[in-house]
Structures are given as C-alpha cells and as structure tokens.
C-alpha cells in the first residue's frame, strides 16, 4: 500500500497520455504551446503499461486516462485493454472533451473502460467556440450521446467563468440531470498558461445561484473524492463542486499523476516531479517502484491555491491532465 507522509493512502493514478489537445480552452491551453514534447520523448503505451503494473502491484485501484486530449493518441483502446486484462477490477476511467468520442465509444467500452468524465462548459455553440477556439459543440454532444448509448457511465465537468458561461450553470445541470449524468462544477484554478483575464466563480457564488432554483442539502465529502456534494430535496439528484481554494481540499487527496513523458507528479499545483522514464526504458522495475514510493513520500500536504504565498500555479493542466 502507498501511504504518504500525512497518512493519506495513495491509490489513484491519473495518466496523461498526451499533452496535445484539439481544443484551445481559454482556461487551459489558449494558445498552441511554443513546442510539443518530441514524439521520441513520449513513453510508448507498452512502457506506460510496465509502470501501471508496478503501480497496481503497489496498491493503485483507480486509473484515469487524461491529457491533453487522450482520444488524440492512437491505439488508446489497446492500452486500456492491457490495463484491464492485467487487473479487471481496476476502476478504469477517462477524462475527455468528447469531440472524438462518436465512433470510438464502443471500442473503448469493449476494451475495459468503465467511466468517462466529459468537459461541457456550455450548451451554446457560439460560447463553445469562444471557449475552445473552434466550433466543437455538435461533436461533443453527439459523443456524449454515444457514450451513454454504449453504456459508459458519464459525469460532466463544468468550469464556470464570469462573463462567459456562469449564466449557464442551471442549463448544463439540467442537461446532465435529464441524461442521468452527475455534474461537478470545478472552480477555475489560476495558472500561468490560462488567459490572464479569466475570472472564475467560487463555490459560495455558485451555491447562491443554485439556491435560487433548487433546494438541496449539503452532504459534505464522500470518501477521497475531491468533490463537495449536494443533494436536491425533491428528486435526490446529486451534484458536486470542486473547491481547490478551500483549506481542507487536500486532506483526503489520494492521487498522483504520470505525464506522457514519464514524470510522476505528486501534486497538481506544484512543479516538482520525478521521472520513471529511464528506469522503465531499461527494464529496471525495482528502480521505478522506488521512484513511485519517493514521490508518494514527498507528496505535499496542500496546494497553494487560496494560500498566502501564491494563488497561481506554474503547472500546465494540459501536461498534468488536470
Ligand atoms: N481534454 C480533456 C478534457 O477536456 O476533459 C482532459 C484534459 S483536461 C486538462 C482535464 C480537466 O481539467 C477538464 O475537466 C478541464 O475542465 C479541467 N481544467 C483544465 N484547466 C483548468 C483550470 N484552469 N481550472 C479548473 N479546471 C481546469
């Protein structure tokens, strides 16, 4: 079992399979980066899988594939199947913008994928164009429909921003609710890659707006999920808010992140990481396991969003996978 220095069990690995993305979301990657990581520096799926086995053997129970946009990477279904075949009980999930999901959802499900989180920040084509930098909404919504049709569990992620999509939180919630998908509103996390004029919406303001429309109870936190949950009084629908600026946000953090280049990152906020690339490439599984333990040991107690020293991270979300 992997336990960090603050007694948190680390059993969740998020794997960014590519930093590349087909969207240019204003809060994440508004511009194409100056250069992409050269292809030869990326871990192959076989190499990533060698590390997944180490992580699973050490106690990881949940793996989420993310990016950049994970569906841009070829043979993703084969990678999922390798993980599933090694340990079918793994909670195998993916976070995607859903643009390429139509036509691939069945293949991913057949490979062992259980759940997906889809980013839906708006239901207006023009706003989607303004956020993502291109006309994406039709493909995204068709991708979601197909995922539901093939039986994948789908959760919706929305990042509310002032003067952008805050006025749509009820519409996106209702869209999700009608389709049996839960929704999590993610507070915008300031980072040096996002457009400078973005203004996020904190949970207090979100809740105020939601209270104008619904009556709901505050359920607090559930296990190690980062979501603060709420349940509607009339129909029991549950929604969540991710509040990284709150003091106790990191208390139950159970996750570490692997980048496409093989860097293991103990915290979404900080720049620190350790590479497993070399040990995996030369087949030194013991060394990779040592790096994993060291990264868990050095996992920081807290991020610094909301802290006194800094409120903006110099980490790119498209590199870490969010
Ligand atoms: N391309 C995929 C997608 O769009 O979901 C996966 C990668 S994306 C980096 C993963 C998640 O990070 C998305 O839900 C996205 O909304 C969230 N994210 C990215 N930048 C963020 C920011 N600055 N603040 C809050 N959430 C952010």
């Amino acid at each position: 079992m992997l336990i960090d220095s603050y007694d948190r069990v680390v059993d969740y690995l998020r794997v960014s399979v590519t930093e590349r993305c087909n969207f240019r979301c204003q809060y994440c990657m508004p511009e194409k980066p100056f250069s992409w990581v050269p292809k030869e520096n990326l871990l192959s799926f076989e190499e990533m899988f060698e590390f997944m086995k180490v992580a699973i053997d050490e106690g990881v129970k949940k793996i989420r594939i993310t990016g950049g946009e994970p569906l841009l990477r070829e043979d993703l279904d084969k990678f999922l199947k390798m993980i599933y075949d090694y340990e079918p009980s793994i909670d195998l999930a993916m976070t995607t913008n859903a643009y390429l999901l139509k036509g691939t959802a069945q293949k991913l499900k057949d490979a062992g994928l259980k759940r997906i989180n889809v980013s839906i920040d708006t239901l207006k084509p023009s706003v989607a164009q303004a956020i993502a930098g291109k006309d994406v909404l039709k493909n995204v919504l068709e991708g979601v429909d197909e995922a539901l049709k093939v039986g994948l569990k789908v959760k919706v992620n929305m990042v509310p921003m002032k003067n952008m999509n805050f006025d749509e939180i009820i519409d996106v919630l209702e869209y999700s609710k009608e389709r049996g998908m839960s929704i999590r509103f993610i507070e915008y996390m300031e980072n040096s890659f996002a457009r400078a004029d973005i203004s996020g919406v904190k949970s207090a303001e979100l809740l105020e707006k939601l209270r104008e429309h619904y009556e709901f109870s505050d359920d607090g936190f559930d296990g190690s999920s980062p979501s603060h949950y709420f349940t509607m009084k009339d129909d029991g629908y549950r929604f969540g808010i991710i509040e990284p600026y709150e003091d106790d946000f990191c208390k139950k953090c159970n996750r570490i992140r692997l980048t496409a280049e093989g860097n293991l990152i103990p915290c979404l906020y900080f720049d620190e990481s350790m590479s497993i690339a070399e040990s995996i490439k030369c087949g030194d599984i013991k060394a990779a396991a040592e790096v994993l333990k060291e990264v868990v040991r050095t996992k920081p107690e807290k991020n610094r969003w909301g802290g006194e020293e800094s409120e903006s991270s110099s980490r790119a979300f498209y590199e870490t996978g969010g």
Side-chain angles (χ1 to χ4, degrees), residues 60-89:
V60 163
K61 298 201 163 31
K62 174 171 174 180
I63 293 178
R64 176 175 296 279
I65 309 299
T66 174
E69 176 45 45
L71 294 176
L72 288 179
R73 191 143 170 192
E74 234 174 282
D75 292 334
L76 187 69
D77 57 318
K78 293 186 185 130
F79 180 48
L80 290 167
K81 179 132 177 55
M82 288 181 209
I83 303 169
Y84 177 81
D85 285 347
Y86 185 70
E87 184 48 79
S89 71

Side-chain angles (χ1 to χ4, degrees), residues 27 66-69 95-97 119 157 159 187-189 191 317 321:
Y27 53 80
T66 174
E69 176 45 45
T95 299
T96 173
N97 60 34
S119 305
N157 287 338
V159 179
E187 286 184 349
Y188 165 63
M189 290 171 244
N191 68 95
F317 276 71

Side-chain angles (χ1 to χ4, degrees), residues 158-211:
M158 175 180 186
V159 179
M161 292 165 280
K162 289 192 181 135
N163 307 322
M164 187 77 95
N165 62 349
F166 183 35
D167 60 341
E168 285 190 76
I169 61 169
I170 304 300
D171 292 343
V172 181
L173 185 148
E174 286 294 331
Y175 160 85
S176 310
K177 192 165 138 183
E178 276 163 21
R179 288 161 182 77
M181 309 184 287
S182 65
I183 184 168
R184 288 155 354 138
F185 299 105
I186 307 178
E187 286 184 349
Y188 165 63
M189 290 171 244
E190 286 173 28
N191 68 95
S192 45
F193 296 85
R195 221 179 67 191
D197 58 355
I198 289 180
S199 176
V201 185
K202 296 286 190 304
S203 67
E205 207 174 332
L206 280 167
L207 288 168
E208 197 182 311
K209 184 90 178 157
L210 289 161
R211 268 196 208 97

